[in-house]
Amino acid sequence: MPENPEKPMEGKGPIEPAEPVKPITGAAEETVENAPKGLPVAAKEPATKDVVADTANAAPACVLVTAPTPVVAAPDVETKRPAAATIRLERKHPLAIRWMHWVNFPVLFTMIWSGLLIYWNDSDNAYQHPHAVYRVGVGSLTLVRLFPPWFWKAINAPYRVTEGLGYHFFFMWLFAINGILYVSYLLVSGEWRLLVPERRSVWDAIQVTLVDLHLRKGLPPQKKYNGAQRIAYSAVILMGLGSLVTGFSIYKPTQVHWVTTLLGGYEMARWEHFWLTMGFCAFFVVHVVQVVLAGWNNFRSMVSGYEIVPATKATLEEERSAR
C-alpha cells in the first residue's frame, strides 16, 4: 500500500514551523537607553524584522557596546620661567684693603691723641709761646683758639708730654708701615685706577655735595667710588705722606735739616703737621657720618668684602681688569 504521507515518521514527532524571531527593537532601544551617557554605541538602529534564527542554534540577540578610550585632559599648567634675580652680591673690597683699613683706624686715633698730649705745652696761655699753633689769627692778632682749657682737662692732657712722646714715636712706625703697604697694594693690584680722580670727578663731587645738602636729587653715575670719594680718599693718602714727612722733620730736625728747610723751617713744619692732623680729624668725622647715612650695606662691605647691589648694575671686575 502506498505510504501514507500524512503518517508521521516513527520516532519523530510532527515538525512544527519555527516561530519567527521577534524584532529586537525594544531590546536595542532599552540597551541604548541604559547605556552610560557619553559612551559610543555600536548598533543604535533597530534590527530588521526578517531576521530568523535557527531553533536549535539560535543565540540571544545582543547589542555591542564598546568602552570608550579614556582621554586624559592635559593639565592646564602654565609654563613658568624661573624668576629673574633682582639683586646680587658684588665683591667690593679685597681682603688686603679691609685689613689695612681697620688697622689704620686705631693707629691713627692713637697718633692724634698722643700728638695732643705733646702739643699741650704750646697751648698753655701762661707761657705765651709765639709759635702757638692752636689758634687762628694773623701775626699777634688771634681770632680764635681751637682748644680751650676745658678741652685739655677733659682729655687729662696736662703734664703728660713724656707719655705722649712715647706713644707717638712707637705708633708712627705702624702708621708708616701700614701706609706704605697700602699704597704698594694699590699700585700692584691696579686698585689705584678705582681711586684716582678722573676728569669728571670735580663736577661729580659738586653734585654729590649738593645731594648731601638736599639741594639736588639723584646721584651721578658711579662705579666703586663717586667723584667726592675719589678726591677725598686720594687726598687722605697725600695727607698721610705729608704727616710722615713733616713729623720726621720735627722728630729729627738736625739729621734731615734739608727737609726741614724745604718745609719752611722747624716752626713752619710744626704748623703744617698740626693742620694735617686737623684735616684727618675732619675727614674722620665726615667719613663716619657718610657711612651712617649710606647704611648697613656699605659698612658690611668693609667687613665681609661684599655688598648687595641691583642685578642690572655693571660689575666692578671689568673696571678692576682695565689697563
Side-chain angles (χ1 to χ4, degrees):
M1 290 181 65
E3 184 178 2
N4 187 4
E6 296 179 357
K7 184 179 179 179
M9 296 179 62
E10 296 180 359
K12 296 182 180 179
I15 298 176
E16 297 179 359
E19 296 181 359
V21 179
K22 297 180 180 180
I24 60 175
T25 305
E29 291 178 353
E30 182 180 358
T31 305
V32 172
E33 290 177 358
N34 296 334
K37 294 183 179 180
L39 298 179
V41 180
K44 193 172 182 180
E45 294 293 332
T48 57
K49 297 181 179 180
D50 56 352
V51 176
V52 178
D54 186 13
T55 57
N57 300 322
C62 65
V63 177
L64 179 60
V65 178
T66 59
T69 302
V71 178
V72 180
D76 188 11
V77 179
E78 298 181 358
T79 303
K80 295 183 179 180
R81 297 180 180 179
T86 58
I87 59 175
R88 59 181 171 81
L89 286 177
E90 176 75 8
R91 185 176 71 91
K92 186 174 183 179
H93 299 296
L95 179 62
I97 296 293
R98 286 177 278 143
W99 266 103
M100 287 180 280
H101 172 274
W102 292 113
V103 168
N104 196 55
F105 173 75
V107 170
L108 183 59
F109 177 83
T110 306
M111 290 289 292
I112 295 174
W113 167 76
S114 59
L116 291 175
L117 298 183
I118 296 171
Y119 277 105
W120 167 79
N121 290 335
D122 286 336
S123 182
D124 192 345
N125 294 329
Y127 296 100
Q128 296 295 321
H129 288 176
H131 56 275
V133 294
Y134 300 111
R135 71 184 185 95
V136 176
V138 178
S140 59
L141 177 61
T142 300
L143 299 178
V144 59
R145 295 192 66 84
L146 298 180
F147 302 108
W150 64 263
F151 174 80
W152 300 115
K153 293 180 179 179
I155 65 172
N156 194 23
Y159 307 107
R160 299 178 64 187
V161 178
T162 305
E163 182 182 358
L165 288 170
Y167 277 102
H168 207 73
F169 293 158
F170 174 78
F171 278 91
M172 75 175 184
W173 296 110
L174 298 180
F175 180 76
I177 294 173
N178 192 61
I180 293 173
L181 292 176
Y182 178 71
V183 174
S184 300
Y185 178 81
L186 291 178
L187 296 176
V188 173
S189 65
E191 286 284 315
W192 66 271
R193 299 179 185 275
L194 310 179
L195 195 66
V196 174
E198 300 175 323
R199 295 180 180 178
R200 290 182 50 87
S201 293
V202 175
W203 175 244
D204 290 345
I206 295 175
Q207 292 179 315
V208 171
T209 304
L210 294 177
V211 171
D212 292 339
L213 297 175
H214 301 284
L215 299 177
R216 184 183 184 274
K217 293 184 178 180
L219 289 171
Q222 70 177 66
K223 294 183 179 179
K224 182 176 182 179
Y225 302 115
N226 57 42
Q229 290 172 323
R230 286 174 177 263
I231 294 175
Y233 297 157
S234 298
V236 167
I237 296 176
L238 296 177
M239 289 166 55
L241 177 61
S243 296
L244 291 176
V245 173
T246 56
F248 198 65
S249 66
I250 297 171
Y251 178 50
K252 299 292 184 180
T254 303
Q255 289 81 350
V256 293
H257 60 89
W258 58 275
V259 178
T260 306
T261 302
L262 290 176
L263 295 175
Y266 180 79
E267 300 299 337
M268 181 58 67
R270 294 179 75 250
W271 183 86
E272 293 164 354
H273 192 71
F274 169 77
W275 285 107
L276 286 171
T277 302
M278 293 299 101
F280 274 113
C281 293
F283 170 79
F284 176 76
V285 173
V286 175
H287 184 63
V288 171
V289 171
Q290 290 293 338
V291 169
V292 173
L293 294 178
W296 172 250
N297 189 39
N298 184 66
F299 179 81
R300 176 173 48 201
S301 65
M302 187 52 71
V303 177
S304 64
Y306 292 85
E307 70 173 348
I308 300 175
V309 298
T312 57
K313 183 180 179 181
T315 63
L316 297 175
E317 296 301 328
E318 299 177 355
E319 190 177 4
R320 284 193 174 96
S321 60
R323 292 291 184 268

